Amino acid sequence: MFPDRTEPESNGRPRPGVIASALALVVSLILISGCGDLSHDELNRGVESLSALAAQGELIANGVARDATKSTYSRVMAKTLGGEAEHEAEKLADAEPEEAVEEERGKAVAVAREIAELFSELQTYPGDERHGAVVQKHMAEAKDQADAIAEVLTGEEQ
């Protein structure tokens, strides 16, 4: 089609430079996001993320409970946000906590897993009003638990 191309014909395989660049990117991401020490501030940021995820889940579940949200939207959002909650649980569980935050880390992992399971429930029953109402109630409780952990970490009332 383009007889004066300067690039060699592709055999369907990526060029070695592309493979090396992709590998370097993956290694860099692993090192940056590594499973190192979990500081007080890092745990607090993770717990705040969990609180936000639970609030979003509560809104989606409310829409399901009121039959005001399309099933497709509920399912996709539940899958996306549930994946984020699961990732947060894994990240917190993999990190080595400072001694001062070890107990709160364990609680945060449990809350993250609960939120992920609740999103899974929404994903499974995206159009069921009864399930939506139950998930909404439990998301509110999970948010309260995350806020309580953040309160301990910051020493402030929220």
Side-chain angles (χ1 to χ4, degrees):
M1 186 167 179
F2 298 101
D4 60 342
R5 278 181 34 181
T6 56
E7 292 182 28
E9 287 287 314
S10 172
N11 61 2
R13 294 184 187 155
R15 286 182 263 147
V18 173
I19 294 171
S21 295
L23 184 58
L25 177 63
V26 170
V27 170
S28 297
L29 289 174
I30 290 171
L31 292 175
I32 289 170
S33 68
C35 303
D37 293 341
L38 180 66
S39 72
H40 185 272
D41 290 338
E42 290 168 321
L43 177 58
N44 191 48
R45 282 190 295 276
V47 170
E48 287 173 354
S49 293
L50 294 174
S51 179
L53 285 168
Q56 290 173 304
E58 192 176 355
L59 289 172
I60 294 167
N62 177 272
V64 171
R66 294 182 300 112
D67 194 25
T69 304
K70 295 267 188 194
S71 294
T72 305
Y73 174 80
S74 300
R75 180 169 278 143
V76 169
M77 290 304 295
K79 181 176 183 174
T80 301
L81 297 173
E84 289 181 29
E86 186 65 35
H87 176 72
E88 194 64 43
E90 292 167 357
K91 190 169 63 171
L92 292 172
D94 288 347
E96 188 63 39
E98 293 178 349
E99 191 173 322
V101 297
E102 194 166 352
E103 183 177 341
E104 285 77 21
R105 190 275 307 250
K107 291 176 183 176
V109 170
V111 170
R113 292 186 63 212
E114 173 70 14
I115 293 169
E117 289 172 14
L118 290 168
F119 277 120
S120 179
E121 189 78 9
L122 278 179
Q123 187 178 350
T124 304
Y125 300 101
D128 186 315
E129 292 88 358
R130 186 178 60 80
H131 277 95
V134 170
V135 169
Q136 180 183 3
K137 176 182 178 280
H138 289 290
M139 281 287 190
E141 292 169 355
K143 183 182 181 321
D144 290 344
Q145 291 172 350
D147 290 344
I149 295 167
E151 186 177 311
V152 169
L153 291 170
T154 61
E156 300 173 7
E157 287 197 29
Q158 297 188 10

